[in-house]
Amino acid sequence: MDQIHDIPAQKPWSGLVKKGQTIRIIDAYGQQAIDTIFYNAHDFGERYSSQDTMRSQGAAYITTGTQIISSEGRVMLTVTADTSGRHDTSAGCCSCESNTVRFGHDTRYLHACRENFILELSRHGMTKRDIVPNINFFMNVPISPNGAMTIDDGISAPGDHVEMLAEMDVLCVISNCPQINNPCNGFDPTPIRVVITG
């Protein structure tokens, strides 16, 4: 039976995906960035590595066929379907500090993905030291030839999804991005759905 998890706008979530199961992350309303980190469910010291994932595939974005690589060089998951086209793994997660630098001191009080991650990781005995560069599913981050990155309007449509097959038991930790100051969420954070099958 499928496990269906509806995650409210701006909130964190975590769940176990066992080897052989499939996790589908659905952008229910479109243009919603979904910050995600994976951990080996039996050893949280082994976690997602953006550098190794990009290096192993020779590409800057994540899409169908991408192998999600751990800090130990092992395959954690394989992307088996993607209706959106590409997903960022370079821009990292927003924080109260970065909001202040980018958008002004009056934004410091606003909730951010880093705070979501801290809250959710604490449920599993981890701390902010366990936050690593994450995947930003459905976030549109064009990279220019000179290496400059911009966060642009989202390109995902309502119902777009990305699906991954777990190659090991993983803990999936999500921050349904609360950002309202740049266009990654269309300036309007919305709910998402996660479905675990198998």
Side-chain angles (χ1 to χ4, degrees):
M1 180 180 292
D2 292 352
Q3 303 172 44
I4 299 174
H5 306 275
D6 289 314
I7 305 168
Q10 304 185 313
K11 299 296 184 181
W13 171 87
S14 60
L16 174 66
V17 188
K18 295 180 180 178
K19 181 178 180 179
Q21 289 185 320
T22 295
I23 179 170
R24 175 180 283 205
I25 300 174
I26 303 166
D27 185 358
Y29 293 85
Q31 292 191 321
Q32 174 62 44
I34 304 170
D35 293 41
T36 306
I37 306 174
F38 295 102
Y39 299 84
N40 178 335
H42 307 291
D43 175 10
F44 296 153
E46 181 176 12
R47 67 276 306 265
Y48 171 67
S49 171
S50 61
Q51 305 95 316
D52 291 314
T53 297
M54 287 189 287
R55 183 170 56 241
S56 70
Q57 66 172 339
Y61 299 107
I62 288 171
T63 188
T64 305
T66 299
Q67 291 185 321
I68 306 298
I69 305 296
S70 79
S71 54
E72 301 298 319
R74 300 197 301 155
V75 180
M76 304 185 83
L77 307 100
T78 301
V79 181
T80 54
D82 173 19
T83 62
S84 179
R86 68 171 195 244
H87 306 272
D88 167 68
T89 189
S90 300
C93 67
C94 61
S95 68
C96 292
E97 293 79 9
S98 65
N99 283 344
T100 300
V101 170
R102 297 177 67 197
F103 308 115
H105 193 74
D106 59 329
T107 66
R108 185 174 176 82
Y109 75 95
L110 295 173
H111 200 54
C113 284
R114 184 171 176 81
E115 284 61 45
N116 270 348
F117 280 139
I118 291 170
L119 286 169
E120 198 62 26
L121 290 175
S122 70
R123 296 182 58 234
H124 303 280
M126 289 184 274
T127 71
K128 62 184 177 182
R129 293 178 182 272
D130 295 293
I131 299 173
V132 294
N134 56 283
I135 302 171
N136 292 306
F137 288 115
F138 305 106
M139 194 162 100
N140 184 21
V141 183
I143 301 174
S144 65
N146 69 359
M149 296 187 303
T150 56
I151 297 174
D152 213 338
D153 291 337
I155 56 176
S156 55
D160 270 346
H161 66 269
V162 59
E163 197 168 272
M164 291 159 283
L165 174 67
E167 308 286 1
M168 65 169 70
D169 293 349
V170 296
L171 175 69
C172 175
V173 181
I174 284 176
S175 169
N176 191 15
C177 182
Q179 181 62 255
I180 60 171
N181 292 295
N182 72 45
C184 69
N185 298 327
F187 303 101
D188 181 25
T190 52
I192 63 169
R193 172 171 284 188
V194 173
V195 180
I196 300 172
T197 305

